[in-house]
């Protein structure tokens, strides 16, 4: 097993967009800087979506404009924004965003509900988004495609691996640089993970496949471990376990970054991320959001500090 895994931190976007409390732009910048200081290299921190639907992300334009004004401060970190369509892309390009996450699903029901497009329509939209972005930024852009509901859907129920693989293939052929395979409502188990990942890795290679697990039913770490065994080297996770999905009822709890890193550290797999600094940051986030942190590692860490 190679000894390095890239942790893709989604807390400041996927996490915060499901929180009732809105974090200020200054706080977001503070947490983003601290995450980078902890060793995070890929950081999703904005979404150019409709502010009336996702008010937590309404300041993404201001956030990226502030970052652009001091870009050199951020070193090698890649800062990502979600763009659902051309309207979002134009807003993102205008403030200097260059790493774009595109969002579709393995099921039409969820795609329609979440992004207001069928899967086929979203893929056509992404083609246009990609072309515009590449032309206006001289090709200096990166794309990551999310396949949500890859294992189960709140509207359509269980999702076959065949269905998920079809959308993964479409994104791979678009092409996007990386495809993040998502268990949006946290129903996947290691066997189901294998059914999707084995063919996906064989066909599209380790460097292009990432996983995005939710811990709704307590299987996120088990699924991550299975993914690692199969060769996956990019895993999405969220500071403290923040967030879920506002349009997927019952979806709670992204895999916590700290829980993932604790396991990887134990397995001698390097991430370059300092676990204790992250745990401290999570506690600060809990204070800001006035909510408990779901990460088991952070809970145990905080308790050990009090004893
Ligand atoms: Mg998520």
């Amino acid at each position: 097993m190679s000894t390095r895994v890239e942790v893709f931190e989604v807390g400041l976007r996927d996490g915060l967009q499901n929180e009732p409390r809105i974090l200020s732009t200054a706080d977001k910048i503070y947490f983003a800087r601290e995450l980078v200081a902890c060793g995070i290299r890929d950081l999703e921190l904005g979404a150019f979506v409709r502010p009336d639907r996702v008010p937590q992300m309404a300041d993404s334009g201001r956030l990226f404009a502030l970052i652009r004004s001091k870009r050199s401060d951020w070193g090698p970190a890649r800062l990502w924004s979600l763009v659902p369509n051309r309207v979002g892309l134009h807003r993102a390009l205008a403030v200097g965003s260059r790493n774009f996450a595109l969002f579709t699903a393995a099921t039409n029901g969820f795609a329609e509900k979440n992004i207001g497009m069928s899967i086929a329509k979203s893929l056509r939209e992404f083609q246009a988004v990609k072309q515009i972005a590449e032309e206006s930024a001289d090709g200096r852009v990166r794309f990551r495609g999310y396949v949500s509901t890859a294992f189960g859907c709140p509207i359509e129920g269980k999702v076959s691996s065949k269905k998920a693989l079809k959308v993964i293939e479409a994104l791979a052929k678009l092409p996007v640089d990386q495809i993040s395979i998502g268990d949006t409502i946290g129903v996947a188990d290691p066997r189901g993970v294998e059914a999707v990942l084995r063919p996906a890795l064989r066909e599209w290679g380790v460097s292009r496949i990432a996983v995005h697990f939710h811990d709704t039913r307590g299987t996120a770490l088990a699924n991550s471990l299975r993914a690692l065994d199969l060769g996956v080297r990019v895993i999405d996770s969220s500071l403290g376990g923040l967030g879920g999905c506002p349009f997927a009822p019952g979806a709670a709890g992204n895999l916590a970054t700290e829980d993932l890193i604790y396991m990887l550290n134990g397995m001698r797999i390097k991430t370059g991320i300092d676990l204790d600094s992250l745990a401290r940051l999570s506690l600060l986030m809990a204070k800001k959001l006035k909510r408990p942190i779901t990460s088991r590692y952070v809970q145990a860490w905080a308790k050990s500090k009090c004893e």
Side-chain angles (χ1 to χ4, degrees), residues 10 13-15 183-184 212-214 242-245 253-255:
V10 301
R13 199 282 300 170
D14 187 1
D183 182 21
T184 313
H212 184 115
F213 293 123
H214 280 207
L242 287 173
C245 174
N254 282 296
L255 169 62

